[in-house]
Amino acid sequence: VRLVESGGGSVQAGGSLTLSCEASGFGYAYSRYCLGWFRQAPGQAREGVATIDRTTATIYADSVKGRFTVSRDNDKSTLYLRMEDLKPADSAIYYCAVVRPGTMCLTLMEAHYDYWGQGTQVTVAS
């Protein structure tokens, strides 16, 4: 099982980025997993950003509601995070993750996630 994030970079405040997370090793079961995006800024704890279940229901952290959109393409085993109106406070390493089967879905609590990517850096300049 492997998760690989891409799409990070440096942007000006107000700009946009789309992150991708390509999964491998899940096979056809990928479509049944709940997936999430997390981020960690220097010196801070990792926090949940967005999550999506197999029905494409979603939950967002209050700090990103209305600006970020999580989506998935099960045919490509890929998770996306569209980020708009970016702010310097959004600067962090962004990670994708897969919820442990049989546990709570649609959660932003990292303890429920089993598989993690290596992260991609997002830097927003003011």
Side-chain angles (χ1 to χ4, degrees), residues 3-4 6 19-24 30 35 37 52 71-81:
L3 301 173
V4 178
S6 62
L19 305 183
S20 300
C21 172
E22 185 172 356
S24 59
Y30 178 83
L35 312 169
W37 285 100
I52 185 169
S71 61
R72 64 192 297 167
D73 184 335
N74 292 328
D75 291 337
K76 296 181 179 179
S77 295
T78 301
L79 176 70
Y80 302 98
L81 185 68

Side-chain angles (χ1 to χ4, degrees), residues 2 8-9 18 30-31 39-40 50 59 67 77 93 98 112 118:
R2 189 177 182 215
T18 298
Y30 178 83
S31 64
R39 67 185 181 187
Q40 187 169 23
I59 289 179
R67 300 187 299 120
S77 295
I93 298 175
V98 179
H112 292 278
Q118 82 291 345

Side-chain angles (χ1 to χ4, degrees), residues 6 13 15 25 31 34-35 47 50 57 63 90 96 99 102 108 121:
S6 62
S31 64
C34 295
L35 312 169
E47 63 172 349
S63 59
D90 295 317
C96 62
V99 168
L108 294 178
Q121 177 72 50

Side-chain angles (χ1 to χ4, degrees), residues 47-62:
E47 63 172 349
V49 174
T51 181
I52 185 169
D53 75 0
R54 62 182 181 178
T55 72
T56 69
T58 57
I59 289 179
Y60 296 91
D62 288 344

Side-chain angles (χ1 to χ4, degrees), residues 97-119:
V98 179
V99 168
R100 181 179 311 120
T103 64
M104 180 185 296
C105 203
L106 284 178
T107 176
L108 294 178
M109 297 176 62
E110 66 173 288
H112 292 278
Y113 289 78
D114 255 354
Y115 306 108
W116 294 82
Q118 82 291 345

